[in-house]
Amino acid sequence: MTTRTMSRPIEATMTDPSLGLPTISMATPMPGFPSHREFVLVRLNDDGLLYALTSIDNPELRFLVAPPEPFFPEYAPEIDEAVFAALNTKDPDRLLLLAVITASEEETTANLLAPIVVDRDSMRAMQTVLTGSGYPVRAIMNRAF
């Protein structure tokens, strides 16, 4: 069973580690980074559209992420029940979805196939692959951001 969820805005409480804000703990490590489980979201612009998901253990390890809805308003992936179980939640309204962004001089893309799902209550997260969804790994983003 899966649950369809819309991405939700990032709350102002998840912006800068220097403010003593919550740590995001990965329920399962991100692929390729097994020893990095603790992250914070660092706001990169005033609009709250771009963030750096930054490792607490190694601040040089960071992923450019963004909530998908400002760029892809129709994005409403089905999140598998296994993700809910791993995050120990049942409420899709408490989930925050983040797309990993790849920026280059030619284009900027978002990985809509493998969002990072964060439970806002427990601050546990995991990256999940949306099998059978048809979402792209490299969805071209609006250059206006």
Side-chain angles (χ1 to χ4, degrees):
M1 180 177 171
T2 59
T3 303
R4 184 169 299 276
T5 184
M6 294 293 293
S7 58
R8 306 278 191 254
I10 294 178
E11 296 170 357
T13 59
M14 298 169 54
T15 56
D16 190 326
S18 66
L19 301 176
L21 297 172
T23 298
I24 297 172
S25 299
M26 300 304 284
T28 57
M30 291 180 68
F33 302 94
S35 62
H36 298 277
R37 289 186 172 257
E38 305 292 317
F39 291 84
V40 291
L41 277 179
V42 179
R43 184 185 301 227
L44 298 178
N45 68 356
D46 291 336
D47 296 334
L49 294 179
L50 294 175
Y51 292 80
L53 184 65
T54 306
S55 170
I56 290 176
D57 294 328
N58 179 3
E60 292 183 18
L61 174 63
R62 55 189 174 264
F63 300 93
L64 183 61
V65 297
E69 83 250 345
F71 307 100
F72 307 97
E74 302 301 316
Y75 185 66
E78 292 185 13
I79 304 298
D80 191 75
E81 289 299 320
V83 174
F84 284 88
L87 299 179
N88 197 25
T89 188
K90 295 182 190 282
D91 186 356
D93 289 333
R94 297 305 305 152
L95 297 181
L96 167 67
L97 299 179
L98 298 171
V100 178
I101 307 301
T102 302
S104 72
E105 288 185 25
E106 294 79 40
E107 66 184 10
T108 301
T109 62
N111 182 346
L112 298 182
L113 181 63
I116 297 170
V117 182
V118 182
D119 175 62
R120 296 173 193 254
D121 295 325
S122 68
M123 300 308 291
R124 288 176 50 87
M126 68 181 290
Q127 187 172 29
T128 185
V129 176
L130 305 170
T131 56
S133 70
Y135 286 116
V137 173
R138 292 180 191 91
I140 296 175
M141 296 179 70
N142 180 348
R143 297 285 297 181
F145 78 92

PDB file of all heavy atoms in Angstrom, residues 112-133:
ATOM      1  N   LEU A 112      13.417  14.014  -9.051  1.00  0.00           N
ATOM      2  CA  LEU A 112      12.057  13.763  -8.568  1.00  0.00           C
ATOM      3  C   LEU A 112      11.796  12.291  -8.341  1.00  0.00           C
ATOM      4  O   LEU A 112      10.814  11.925  -7.702  1.00  0.00           O
ATOM      5  CB  LEU A 112      11.039  14.327  -9.562  1.00  0.00           C
ATOM      6  CG  LEU A 112      11.090  15.837  -9.796  1.00  0.00           C
ATOM      7  CD1 LEU A 112       9.995  16.254 -10.775  1.00  0.00           C
ATOM      8  CD2 LEU A 112      10.995  16.605  -8.494  1.00  0.00           C
ATOM      9  N   LEU A 113      12.676  11.437  -8.841  1.00  0.00           N
ATOM     10  CA  LEU A 113      12.509   9.996  -8.669  1.00  0.00           C
ATOM     11  C   LEU A 113      12.897   9.530  -7.266  1.00  0.00           C
ATOM     12  O   LEU A 113      12.351   8.569  -6.765  1.00  0.00           O
ATOM     13  CB  LEU A 113      13.339   9.237  -9.707  1.00  0.00           C
ATOM     14  CG  LEU A 113      13.241   7.721  -9.674  1.00  0.00           C
ATOM     15  CD1 LEU A 113      11.818   7.264  -9.969  1.00  0.00           C
ATOM     16  CD2 LEU A 113      14.215   7.110 -10.662  1.00  0.00           C
ATOM     17  N   ALA A 114      13.832  10.239  -6.642  1.00  0.00           N
ATOM     18  CA  ALA A 114      14.329   9.794  -5.331  1.00  0.00           C
ATOM     19  C   ALA A 114      14.339  10.960  -4.345  1.00  0.00           C
ATOM     20  O   ALA A 114      15.394  11.489  -3.988  1.00  0.00           O
ATOM     21  CB  ALA A 114      15.724   9.204  -5.476  1.00  0.00           C
ATOM     22  N   PRO A 115      13.145  11.371  -3.870  1.00  0.00           N
ATOM     23  CA  PRO A 115      13.097  12.480  -2.921  1.00  0.00           C
ATOM     24  C   PRO A 115      13.604  12.058  -1.536  1.00  0.00           C
ATOM     25  O   PRO A 115      13.609  10.878  -1.192  1.00  0.00           O
ATOM     26  CB  PRO A 115      11.615  12.824  -2.852  1.00  0.00           C
ATOM     27  CG  PRO A 115      10.937  11.515  -3.118  1.00  0.00           C
ATOM     28  CD  PRO A 115      11.818  10.830  -4.138  1.00  0.00           C
ATOM     29  N   ILE A 116      14.009  13.045  -0.778  1.00  0.00           N
ATOM     30  CA  ILE A 116      14.304  12.835   0.636  1.00  0.00           C
ATOM     31  C   ILE A 116      13.007  13.133   1.373  1.00  0.00           C
ATOM     32  O   ILE A 116      12.402  14.193   1.178  1.00  0.00           O
ATOM     33  CB  ILE A 116      15.439  13.750   1.118  1.00  0.00           C
ATOM     34  CG1 ILE A 116      16.728  13.419   0.359  1.00  0.00           C
ATOM     35  CG2 ILE A 116      15.632  13.619   2.630  1.00  0.00           C
ATOM     36  CD1 ILE A 116      17.850  14.405   0.583  1.00  0.00           C
ATOM     37  N   VAL A 117      12.566  12.190   2.181  1.00  0.00           N
ATOM     38  CA  VAL A 117      11.317  12.320   2.921  1.00  0.00           C
ATOM     39  C   VAL A 117      11.673  12.544   4.385  1.00  0.00           C
ATOM     40  O   VAL A 117      12.394  11.745   4.982  1.00  0.00           O
ATOM     41  CB  VAL A 117      10.447  11.047   2.772  1.00  0.00           C
ATOM     42  CG1 VAL A 117       9.131  11.200   3.511  1.00  0.00           C
ATOM     43  CG2 VAL A 117      10.220  10.718   1.302  1.00  0.00           C
ATOM     44  N   VAL A 118      11.174  13.638   4.960  1.00  0.00           N
ATOM     45  CA  VAL A 118      11.467  13.999   6.343  1.00  0.00           C
ATOM     46  C   VAL A 118      10.165  14.009   7.134  1.00  0.00           C
ATOM     47  O   VAL A 118       9.193  14.655   6.723  1.00  0.00           O
ATOM     48  CB  VAL A 118      12.122  15.396   6.445  1.00  0.00           C
ATOM     49  CG1 VAL A 118      12.456  15.740   7.896  1.00  0.00           C
ATOM     50  CG2 VAL A 118      13.349  15.502   5.558  1.00  0.00           C
ATOM     51  N   ASP A 119      10.139  13.315   8.263  1.00  0.00           N
ATOM     52  CA  ASP A 119       9.017  13.405   9.182  1.00  0.00           C
ATOM     53  C   ASP A 119       9.252  14.627  10.067  1.00  0.00           C
ATOM     54  O   ASP A 119      10.256  14.703  10.777  1.00  0.00           O
ATOM     55  CB  ASP A 119       8.893  12.145  10.037  1.00  0.00           C
ATOM     56  CG  ASP A 119       7.794  12.287  11.068  1.00  0.00           C
ATOM     57  OD1 ASP A 119       6.624  12.457  10.681  1.00  0.00           O
ATOM     58  OD2 ASP A 119       8.114  12.259  12.275  1.00  0.00           O
ATOM     59  N   ARG A 120       8.352  15.605  10.008  1.00  0.00           N
ATOM     60  CA  ARG A 120       8.527  16.864  10.738  1.00  0.00           C
ATOM     61  C   ARG A 120       8.482  16.686  12.252  1.00  0.00           C
ATOM     62  O   ARG A 120       9.026  17.511  12.982  1.00  0.00           O
ATOM     63  CB  ARG A 120       7.451  17.860  10.334  1.00  0.00           C
ATOM     64  CG  ARG A 120       7.513  18.287   8.900  1.00  0.00           C
ATOM     65  CD  ARG A 120       6.283  19.144   8.591  1.00  0.00           C
ATOM     66  NE  ARG A 120       6.117  19.344   7.181  1.00  0.00           N
ATOM     67  CZ  ARG A 120       6.382  20.483   6.567  1.00  0.00           C
ATOM     68  NH1 ARG A 120       6.836  21.497   7.236  1.00  0.00           N
ATOM     69  NH2 ARG A 120       6.195  20.594   5.278  1.00  0.00           N
ATOM     70  N   ASP A 121       7.813  15.649  12.729  1.00  0.00           N
ATOM     71  CA  ASP A 121       7.697  15.456  14.176  1.00  0.00           C
ATOM     72  C   ASP A 121       8.955  14.831  14.772  1.00  0.00           C
ATOM     73  O   ASP A 121       9.510  15.339  15.737  1.00  0.00           O
ATOM     74  CB  ASP A 121       6.476  14.593  14.507  1.00  0.00           C
ATOM     75  CG  ASP A 121       5.181  15.286  14.118  1.00  0.00           C
ATOM     76  OD1 ASP A 121       5.099  16.533  14.234  1.00  0.00           O
ATOM     77  OD2 ASP A 121       4.243  14.592  13.684  1.00  0.00           O
ATOM     78  N   SER A 122       9.425  13.749  14.173  1.00  0.00           N
ATOM     79  CA  SER A 122      10.588  13.039  14.733  1.00  0.00           C
ATOM     80  C   SER A 122      11.907  13.541  14.169  1.00  0.00           C
ATOM     81  O   SER A 122      12.963  13.241  14.709  1.00  0.00           O
ATOM     82  CB  SER A 122      10.471  11.539  14.438  1.00  0.00           C
ATOM     83  OG  SER A 122      10.605  11.299  13.040  1.00  0.00           O
ATOM     84  N   MET A 123      11.843  14.282  13.047  1.00  0.00           N
ATOM     85  CA  MET A 123      13.025  14.757  12.330  1.00  0.00           C
ATOM     86  C   MET A 123      13.863  13.588  11.811  1.00  0.00           C
ATOM     87  O   MET A 123      15.069  13.702  11.644  1.00  0.00           O
ATOM     88  CB  MET A 123      13.864  15.711  13.183  1.00  0.00           C
ATOM     89  CG  MET A 123      13.097  16.963  13.613  1.00  0.00           C
ATOM     90  SD  MET A 123      12.302  17.853  12.257  1.00  0.00           S
ATOM     91  CE  MET A 123      13.715  18.473  11.398  1.00  0.00           C
ATOM     92  N   ARG A 124      13.199  12.459  11.545  1.00  0.00           N
ATOM     93  CA  ARG A 124      13.846  11.318  10.890  1.00  0.00           C
ATOM     94  C   ARG A 124      13.575  11.433   9.399  1.00  0.00           C
ATOM     95  O   ARG A 124      12.529  11.924   8.987  1.00  0.00           O
ATOM     96  CB  ARG A 124      13.303  10.000  11.439  1.00  0.00           C
ATOM     97  CG  ARG A 124      13.792   9.718  12.842  1.00  0.00           C
ATOM     98  CD  ARG A 124      13.185   8.459  13.444  1.00  0.00           C
ATOM     99  NE  ARG A 124      13.244   7.277  12.605  1.00  0.00           N
ATOM    100  CZ  ARG A 124      14.262   6.420  12.545  1.00  0.00           C
ATOM    101  NH1 ARG A 124      15.332   6.635  13.274  1.00  0.00           N
ATOM    102  NH2 ARG A 124      14.213   5.351  11.767  1.00  0.00           N
ATOM    103  N   ALA A 125      14.543  10.973   8.604  1.00  0.00           N
ATOM    104  CA  ALA A 125      14.425  11.113   7.162  1.00  0.00           C
ATOM    105  C   ALA A 125      15.015   9.912   6.452  1.00  0.00           C
ATOM    106  O   ALA A 125      15.765   9.131   7.043  1.00  0.00           O
ATOM    107  CB  ALA A 125      15.143  12.384   6.701  1.00  0.00           C
ATOM    108  N   MET A 126      14.670   9.808   5.183  1.00  0.00           N
ATOM    109  CA  MET A 126      15.307   8.825   4.316  1.00  0.00           C
ATOM    110  C   MET A 126      15.075   9.231   2.873  1.00  0.00           C
ATOM    111  O   MET A 126      14.102   9.913   2.562  1.00  0.00           O
ATOM    112  CB  MET A 126      14.797   7.409   4.592  1.00  0.00           C
ATOM    113  CG  MET A 126      13.359   7.156   4.212  1.00  0.00           C
ATOM    114  SD  MET A 126      12.814   5.478   4.591  1.00  0.00           S
ATOM    115  CE  MET A 126      13.740   4.529   3.403  1.00  0.00           C
ATOM    116  N   GLN A 127      16.003   8.820   2.044  1.00  0.00           N
ATOM    117  CA  GLN A 127      15.811   9.019   0.613  1.00  0.00           C
ATOM    118  C   GLN A 127      15.156   7.754   0.081  1.00  0.00           C
ATOM    119  O   GLN A 127      15.559   6.641   0.424  1.00  0.00           O
ATOM    120  CB  GLN A 127      17.145   9.273  -0.088  1.00  0.00           C
ATOM    121  CG  GLN A 127      16.975   9.642  -1.544  1.00  0.00           C
ATOM    122  CD  GLN A 127      18.271  10.069  -2.192  1.00  0.00           C
ATOM    123  OE1 GLN A 127      19.345   9.635  -1.801  1.00  0.00           O
ATOM    124  NE2 GLN A 127      18.170  10.916  -3.209  1.00  0.00           N
ATOM    125  N   THR A 128      14.134   7.922  -0.721  1.00  0.00           N
ATOM    126  CA  THR A 128      13.418   6.776  -1.246  1.00  0.00           C
ATOM    127  C   THR A 128      13.329   6.865  -2.763  1.00  0.00           C
ATOM    128  O   THR A 128      13.256   7.954  -3.320  1.00  0.00           O
ATOM    129  CB  THR A 128      12.004   6.668  -0.627  1.00  0.00           C
ATOM    130  OG1 THR A 128      11.389   5.466  -1.078  1.00  0.00           O
ATOM    131  CG2 THR A 128      11.127   7.852  -0.988  1.00  0.00           C
ATOM    132  N   VAL A 129      13.355   5.718  -3.416  1.00  0.00           N
ATOM    133  CA  VAL A 129      13.180   5.650  -4.863  1.00  0.00           C
ATOM    134  C   VAL A 129      11.715   5.310  -5.124  1.00  0.00           C
ATOM    135  O   VAL A 129      11.199   4.326  -4.606  1.00  0.00           O
ATOM    136  CB  VAL A 129      14.118   4.610  -5.501  1.00  0.00           C
ATOM    137  CG1 VAL A 129      13.843   4.486  -6.994  1.00  0.00           C
ATOM    138  CG2 VAL A 129      15.572   4.967  -5.237  1.00  0.00           C
ATOM    139  N   LEU A 130      11.067   6.135  -5.920  1.00  0.00           N
ATOM    140  CA  LEU A 130       9.652   5.972  -6.234  1.00  0.00           C
ATOM    141  C   LEU A 130       9.494   5.026  -7.418  1.00  0.00           C
ATOM    142  O   LEU A 130       9.305   5.456  -8.548  1.00  0.00           O
ATOM    143  CB  LEU A 130       9.025   7.334  -6.543  1.00  0.00           C
ATOM    144  CG  LEU A 130       9.191   8.395  -5.461  1.00  0.00           C
ATOM    145  CD1 LEU A 130       8.756   9.753  -5.991  1.00  0.00           C
ATOM    146  CD2 LEU A 130       8.433   8.007  -4.207  1.00  0.00           C
ATOM    147  N   THR A 131       9.589   3.737  -7.157  1.00  0.00           N
ATOM    148  CA  THR A 131       9.540   2.744  -8.226  1.00  0.00           C
ATOM    149  C   THR A 131       8.199   2.799  -8.954  1.00  0.00           C
ATOM    150  O   THR A 131       7.147   2.954  -8.336  1.00  0.00           O
ATOM    151  CB  THR A 131       9.773   1.326  -7.676  1.00  0.00           C
ATOM    152  OG1 THR A 131       8.814   1.065  -6.659  1.00  0.00           O
ATOM    153  CG2 THR A 131      11.164   1.172  -7.110  1.00  0.00           C
ATOM    154  N   GLY A 132       8.279   2.718 -10.276  1.00  0.00           N
ATOM    155  CA  GLY A 132       7.079   2.704 -11.097  1.00  0.00           C
ATOM    156  C   GLY A 132       6.372   4.043 -11.211  1.00  0.00           C
ATOM    157  O   GLY A 132       5.273   4.116 -11.736  1.00  0.00           O
ATOM    158  N   SER A 133       6.993   5.109 -10.726  1.00  0.00           N
ATOM    159  CA  SER A 133       6.317   6.413 -10.700  1.00  0.00           C
ATOM    160  C   SER A 133       6.392   7.159 -12.027  1.00  0.00           C
ATOM    161  O   SER A 133       5.547   7.996 -12.329  1.00  0.00           O
ATOM    162  CB  SER A 133       6.933   7.298  -9.619  1.00  0.00           C
ATOM    163  OG  SER A 133       8.249   7.692  -9.993  1.00  0.00           O
TER     164      SER A 133
END
